[in-house]
Amino acid sequence: MLLMAASLSIRADGTVVDKVYHPIVLPNEHRVEWRFMSRQTEEKNILAQRIGYGQSLSETVTVEFYLLGERDRDDNFGIEAYELESRWMITEQGRYWADWGMVFELEKRHGLDAWEASAGLLMEKEFGRNSLTLNWFSIYEWGNDIQDEWEGEFRMQYRFRWKPQVQPSLELFVGEDFVGIGPALMGIQRFEAQKQLKWELGFISELSGVTKDHTLRFVLEYEF
């Protein structure tokens, strides 16, 4: 299953709040995805979106391509970056104490010599109707139009599987000079065969609380 979360730290907004990746991959899967993010700080309101298409290459590997868009200072919306992503399911679902996987991403900033490569370790543990998902990312940025540097990110999602269509959760995001936490709500509606519609809605607040820094994120996925 192409479930993902990818880092957008190469963007001007610098946020680390995004979708939390799950390690499970389904064979013969195709999916389209739309993500929306609105970040409000004391200085500005950042609006970003991404559209992606992906499919599984085998029972354990997926690949996906994204177009990333962002609103500029003149309130015009345009392409900000391109991204290629692949996920690898390392362990068979439910066979070990936890499910493990990895995600690899390569991102290019539109119109600039600015690149980003990242590798993430994914873990998910289910106990009863509860799920705990952890992501660890190592990120490298380089190019003539960006400072060469290494960064790290951590993402956590605790989810209660109340009903397939209604699953409340708590999310934590940690990155360079940022720690945010907040509630989220997600669900899945299954149709015939492998067709299903998934959605996520989360509201993350920076923990320091010294200045305003809130992020609203929304994800809509259709798998077939």
Side-chain angles (χ1 to χ4, degrees):
M1 185 180 303
L2 280 167
L3 284 172
M4 69 129 212
S7 169
L8 300 182
S9 57
I10 197 172
R11 297 184 325 218
D13 58 74
T15 184
V16 300
V17 176
D18 200 354
K19 190 176 176 182
V20 178
Y21 282 90
H22 302 258
I24 306 305
V25 170
L26 293 180
N28 304 316
E29 168 186 273
H30 300 261
R31 68 187 288 268
V32 290
E33 178 183 342
W34 172 57
R35 300 188 207 174
F36 171 87
M37 188 276 295
S38 176
R39 182 186 182 191
Q40 292 189 348
T41 66
E42 296 290 349
E43 296 80 21
K44 53 188 176 180
N45 181 9
I46 302 160
L47 179 65
Q49 300 184 59
R50 69 163 58 200
I51 297 175
Y53 170 79
Q55 65 181 64
S56 57
L57 300 181
S58 68
E59 294 184 352
T60 59
V61 177
T62 66
V63 65
E64 187 159 2
F65 177 75
Y66 288 100
L67 288 177
L68 289 70
E70 189 171 310
R71 185 174 61 187
D72 60 22
R73 296 178 180 178
D74 298 322
D75 290 334
N76 296 318
F77 199 87
I79 295 177
E80 181 72 13
Y82 315 93
E83 183 179 273
L84 184 65
E85 173 188 295
S86 179
R87 282 192 310 112
W88 171 36
M89 185 173 67
I90 300 175
T91 61
E92 182 181 344
Q93 185 178 12
R95 184 173 181 179
Y96 300 102
W97 175 82
D99 298 324
W100 295 87
M102 292 197 71
V103 60
F104 304 95
E105 302 162 356
L106 179 63
E107 185 176 306
K108 167 68 168 61
R109 188 83 172 267
H110 178 65
L112 297 174
D113 183 16
W115 297 76
E116 176 185 290
S118 64
L121 179 64
L122 318 176
M123 189 214 81
E124 187 163 80
K125 171 64 177 176
E126 296 187 352
F127 41 101
R129 299 171 69 181
N130 304 277
S131 294
L132 179 64
T133 307
L134 306 178
N135 294 178
W136 297 270
F137 282 92
S138 180
I139 304 162
Y140 181 63
E141 299 176 347
W142 78 96
N144 294 327
D145 298 318
I146 193 173
Q147 180 180 354
D148 296 1
E149 63 177 347
W150 285 94
E151 295 181 359
E153 292 183 9
F154 172 75
R155 303 174 188 175
M156 183 199 76
Q157 181 188 86
Y158 165 75
R159 175 166 49 105
F160 178 65
R161 302 191 307 277
W162 181 43
K163 297 180 179 180
Q165 296 84 359
V166 183
Q167 302 180 39
S169 66
L170 180 68
E171 298 180 337
L172 173 69
F173 297 85
V174 180
E176 187 176 12
D177 302 321
F178 180 87
V179 178
I181 192 170
L185 194 64
M186 58 198 65
I188 177 172
Q189 178 62 53
R190 294 182 173 88
F191 306 101
E192 59 183 15
Q194 284 193 186
K195 297 178 181 178
Q196 54 189 17
L197 184 66
K198 300 179 181 179
W199 60 274
E200 297 183 14
L201 179 66
F203 185 77
I204 306 301
S205 297
E206 212 280 328
L207 276 182
S208 69
V210 176
T211 60
K212 179 181 179 181
D213 193 340
H214 306 306
T215 300
L216 176 71
R217 71 175 195 88
F218 177 73
V219 181
L220 190 64
E221 303 175 15
Y222 180 63
E223 299 180 359
F224 56 97

